[in-house]
Amino acid sequence: MNFNVLLCWFFFITLGVGVNQLHAQDYVESPDTSLIGKTVIVLKNDGSEYIGILKKMDAREVLIETKTIGDIYIPKHEIKSISEADDNTVSSGGKVIRENRMYSRYFITTSGMPIERGDDYLNVTWGLVDAEFRVAKNFSLGGMTTPLGIPMAITPKLGFSISDNLHIGAGGIVGFLGWIQPNTGGALGYGTITLGDKDLNLNVAVGGGIGWGDGFTEASSVLLSVGSHIRLGPGAFFVFDSFFLPQEEVYIFMPGFRWITKKNQDYWSLAFTGVVANGQAISIPIPFLQYTHFFRSKLTKNAPITGSVKCVFLSNNQTTACLRMKFNADPARNHSICCSLYV
């Protein structure tokens, strides 16, 4: 098969979304007049939020009564969403509790929780880019690479929620060194169990892998991992990740924090890495910095979208893969991503 075709399929997997999530119909959120008289959260397009009793709603504006500054009139065209407030969405101090949509991922490892509909995301960790998409109820598929196309990998995962506080999963990473050395690669398989919910959980995983190349094939030793999410506040979390290679006496610890931005509700993660190898402790001076962007906002999480993925071969050595997604309920989240490769 032509190498350009392989590259195009790779970007189709990495940037594409599950066919079951692509629909042709429009989605329009109708005003919910049943919220009048109830305590609501009003999210404006600029990211500001107001909590108060909804007193009036018409075609031009809404009126809410707040505890701090009294009545506020807000033009409808400035409002992104209106939702009912309860103990799960507003803290005792009157702050909006932001939903944890990164429940399936610690810093590097994954939990047993399956990716829910609409929670497909893009991760950027320094030079590494990976995207994960829900293909079916209990199955997700993603891909990772760098701007140079070295390496390239796909990341399938199965996840099952046995109960509200018990989740199990299995998955893997299969990849190669890309165009620089396509015959060299590796595969890692793992199983994981998660105890707890999205805001407070403990995860234990075990796995093993194999590597191959020109003239060699080598299996790795057992890899263990422990991870955890702990909510610290309305939009902040403590996150812990780790890797243990007991046969090699190598232990890697990654404690850190994750917070949700107010305006776009994207995620930033910061971790510090420590390594213990053969009884000696080593501190990694470069922090682990990660940015996460969800393709759908909370407003469009369960809304149908229109989308297309297209590969264009412009010449013998250039391949362009494009993904276009349109969210009628939230135009600010419309995406058009194109990647060109010269090989």
Side-chain angles (χ1 to χ4, degrees), residues 217-263:
T217 301
E218 183 176 350
S220 71
S221 59
V222 175
L223 175 66
L224 303 175
S225 176
V226 175
S228 180
H229 275 134
I230 301 175
R231 181 182 282 275
L232 300 177
F237 302 85
F238 172 79
V239 182
F240 178 79
D241 210 346
S242 61
F243 301 92
F244 307 139
L245 290 166
Q247 292 178 320
E248 281 76 20
E249 297 185 7
V250 175
Y251 308 93
I252 302 174
F253 304 91
M254 298 181 65
F257 301 94
R258 175 174 291 149
W259 63 95
I260 308 172
T261 62
K262 186 174 181 180
K263 181 176 182 179

Side-chain angles (χ1 to χ4, degrees), residues 51-289:
I51 302 173
I53 299 175
L54 181 62
K55 300 177 68 175
K56 175 186 174 183
M57 176 188 296
D58 57 33
R60 294 188 308 166
E61 60 191 11
V62 301
L63 170 63
I64 63 171
E65 179 185 351
T66 67
K67 291 182 179 180
T68 55
I69 55 178
D71 290 353
I72 300 176
Y73 286 90
I74 306 175
K76 288 289 292 292
H77 70 271
E78 295 182 3
I79 297 175
K80 191 172 187 179
S81 66
I82 303 175
S83 58
E84 185 175 1
D86 54 33
D87 292 340
N88 295 321
T89 56
V90 178
S91 69
S92 58
K95 300 291 186 179
V96 177
I97 299 175
R98 308 189 193 286
E99 177 188 359
N100 180 19
R101 301 176 68 187
M102 280 295 286
Y103 49 82
S104 66
R105 184 79 169 260
Y106 299 99
F107 293 123
I108 297 177
T109 63
T110 61
S111 72
M113 300 180 189
I115 295 178
E116 297 177 0
R117 178 182 174 89
D119 282 344
D120 316 310
Y121 64 87
L122 176 73
N123 252 346
V124 180
T125 307
W126 293 122
L128 181 66
V129 179
D130 73 276
E132 303 295 330
F133 299 96
R134 178 188 187 270
V135 179
K137 180 179 179 181
N138 299 110
F139 178 66
S140 61
L141 181 64
M144 62 177 63
T145 187
T146 65
L148 297 177
I150 308 169
M152 291 183 173
I154 58 173
T155 55
K157 176 194 167 185
L158 289 167
F160 301 90
S161 292
I162 307 303
S163 68
D164 291 341
N165 293 299
L166 177 60
H167 318 269
I168 59 174
I173 302 174
V174 182
F176 64 105
L177 290 182
W179 56 270
I180 193 171
Q181 202 166 354
N183 295 326
T184 301
L188 171 70
Y190 64 87
T192 184
I193 181 170
T194 306
L195 303 176
D197 56 25
K198 296 178 180 180
D199 292 338
L200 178 62
N201 59 62
L202 177 67
N203 184 76
V204 178
V206 58
I210 186 173
W212 61 82
D214 292 331
F216 79 91
T217 301
E218 183 176 350
S220 71
S221 59
V222 175
L223 175 66
L224 303 175
S225 176
V226 175
S228 180
H229 275 134
I230 301 175
R231 181 182 282 275
L232 300 177
F237 302 85
F238 172 79
V239 182
F240 178 79
D241 210 346
S242 61
F243 301 92
F244 307 139
L245 290 166
Q247 292 178 320
E248 281 76 20
E249 297 185 7
V250 175
Y251 308 93
I252 302 174
F253 304 91
M254 298 181 65
F257 301 94
R258 175 174 291 149
W259 63 95
I260 308 172
T261 62
K262 186 174 181 180
K263 181 176 182 179
N264 298 320
Q265 298 195 11
D266 292 334
Y267 290 62
W268 285 94
S269 302
L270 177 67
F272 301 92
T273 306
V275 180
V276 177
N278 299 318
Q280 292 185 339
I282 304 171
S283 178
I284 306 299
I286 301 176
F288 177 94
L289 183 63

Side-chain angles (χ1 to χ4, degrees), residues 283-305:
S283 178
I284 306 299
I286 301 176
F288 177 94
L289 183 63
Q290 186 177 75
Y291 166 76
T292 305
H293 172 77
F294 286 88
F295 291 108
R296 298 192 189 200
S297 66
K298 289 180 62 178
L299 178 63
T300 61
K301 182 174 178 178
N302 295 307
I305 64 174

Side-chain angles (χ1 to χ4, degrees), residues 17-27 117 134 296 301-308 324-328:
V17 293
V19 174
N20 65 313
Q21 296 183 1
L22 298 179
H23 304 278
Q25 65 266 36
D26 291 340
Y27 173 81
R117 178 182 174 89
R134 178 188 187 270
R296 298 192 189 200
K301 182 174 178 178
N302 295 307
I305 64 174
T306 58
S308 64
R324 292 182 175 87
M325 292 187 292
K326 180 181 180 182
F327 301 96
N328 298 91

